[in-house]
Amino acid sequence: MKKRRGPGTYLSDIEWGKYAQHIYSFLETTAGLQEVTWLKTVNPINSYGEDQGAKHINLIITGLIAYNYFRSWPLNQPSRTGEVDKENCVLLLSKDYLEKAGYLDDSGYFIFDSANDRFILEGKLYKASGDTGMSQAKDKPLVFMIILQREENSNHNIIT
């Protein structure tokens, strides 16, 4: 009779490390190369201490866009004339890429303002409507996922 292994013993730490490197390499050199403009929120200090509202700086990041063709998350929003599909894609970012760029906090989570930051993809403006880690390798997620919701209002102050 075969001895049964416990959870996590099918792969060694070395094998998990190799798996993670394959995922990172695939995203960073092959599949996750679509440029996305990240409108990162900054709040510059006014010399008179007045509130100016949020301003944004343009940062070009690269990631993999996954379209919601299987309808795997809620997508429709009610309107007066029916329902509108505004959540049709997600941005997948390699956590290794984010770490190298200095975009992770001490807990390994992407540092972005989900309420105020915006993303430009193929000329369309999007805001985050959900985010999470995914594609786990043993004890940590390898990919950061942001559900993108199309936004019609593009009145954002951009600092160049």
Side-chain angles (χ1 to χ4, degrees), residues 94-146:
S94 159
K95 295 223 18 198
D96 186 55
Y97 167 80
L98 293 172
E99 182 177 27
K100 289 174 185 172
Y103 297 143
L104 295 181
D105 65 16
D106 292 338
S107 300
Y109 211 78
F110 182 34
I111 301 171
F112 83 110
D113 183 341
S114 62
N116 295 306
D117 286 2
R118 297 295 184 265
F119 300 89
I120 298 173
L121 169 64
E122 297 175 343
K124 305 286 185 206
L125 185 68
Y126 292 86
K127 68 178 181 176
S129 66
D131 56 85
T132 188
M134 61 177 286
S135 188
Q136 186 170 326
K138 188 178 176 184
D139 60 350
K140 64 180 181 179
L142 303 176
V143 178
F144 192 80
M145 177 180 82
I146 304 171

Side-chain angles (χ1 to χ4, degrees), residues 40-105:
K40 182 171 175 44
T41 304
V42 294
N43 291 311
I45 298 172
N46 182 301
S47 56
Y48 299 104
E50 297 170 342
D51 185 14
Q52 301 179 73
K55 301 220 183 280
H56 299 87
I57 56 172
N58 280 356
L59 297 172
I60 303 298
I61 57 176
T62 58
L64 176 64
I65 304 301
Y67 296 93
N68 194 16
Y69 57 94
F70 285 124
R71 303 297 188 205
S72 54
W73 59 85
L75 59 135
N76 290 350
Q77 294 186 346
S79 72
R80 290 182 191 177
T81 58
E83 291 189 342
V84 180
D85 176 5
K86 290 189 173 187
E87 298 177 6
N88 65 347
C89 63
V90 296
L91 172 59
L92 303 172
L93 301 167
S94 159
K95 295 223 18 198
D96 186 55
Y97 167 80
L98 293 172
E99 182 177 27
K100 289 174 185 172
Y103 297 143
L104 295 181
D105 65 16

